[in-house]
Amino acid sequence: MKKWENVANGSSIFIVLTFLPPYLDIIGISFWLKSVCIFAVLFGVLSIVSKIKFLQKQVTNKVSWVTLISAFIFVTFLSEFIFK
């Protein structure tokens, strides 16, 4: 059994790594500053996710993987529509 927190962590990492770097490229900051910004945002998002009580509940492995994969697919399609 896994927690919903693990699913939310995986989804939030994928979302941040998908949407933040292109935005930081538009701003035109350096590679090192972009890396620090991504690390800071990931740390903040993961700490917020760990505080949500609903995400502390147990979930089966099958449901967690299906939810995580569907979130990946949804974010990928969403990013294709936004960036094109």
Side-chain angles (χ1 to χ4, degrees):
M1 298 288 271
K2 294 185 178 192
K3 292 183 180 179
W4 279 109
E5 180 182 1
N6 298 339
V7 177
N9 283 341
S11 299
S12 60
I13 289 171
F14 186 72
I15 289 169
V16 168
L17 292 178
T18 301
F19 289 111
L20 194 59
Y23 175 73
L24 295 176
D25 287 338
I26 292 171
I27 294 175
I29 61 174
S30 69
F31 172 75
W32 297 109
L33 188 57
K34 183 170 41 170
S35 302
V36 169
C37 288
I38 290 171
F39 180 74
V41 169
L42 278 175
F43 182 73
V45 167
L46 294 180
S47 66
I48 289 171
V49 165
S50 68
K51 303 293 183 212
I52 300 174
K53 294 290 183 188
F54 170 75
L55 299 176
Q56 303 301 323
K57 294 182 181 179
Q58 299 289 328
V59 64
T60 62
N61 284 338
K62 190 174 187 179
V63 172
S64 66
W65 279 110
V66 168
T67 306
L68 190 62
I69 290 171
S70 58
F72 286 171
I73 293 170
F74 176 73
V75 169
T76 303
F77 282 126
L78 188 63
S79 68
E80 290 295 322
F81 286 123
I82 289 175
F83 294 130
K84 286 191 178 184

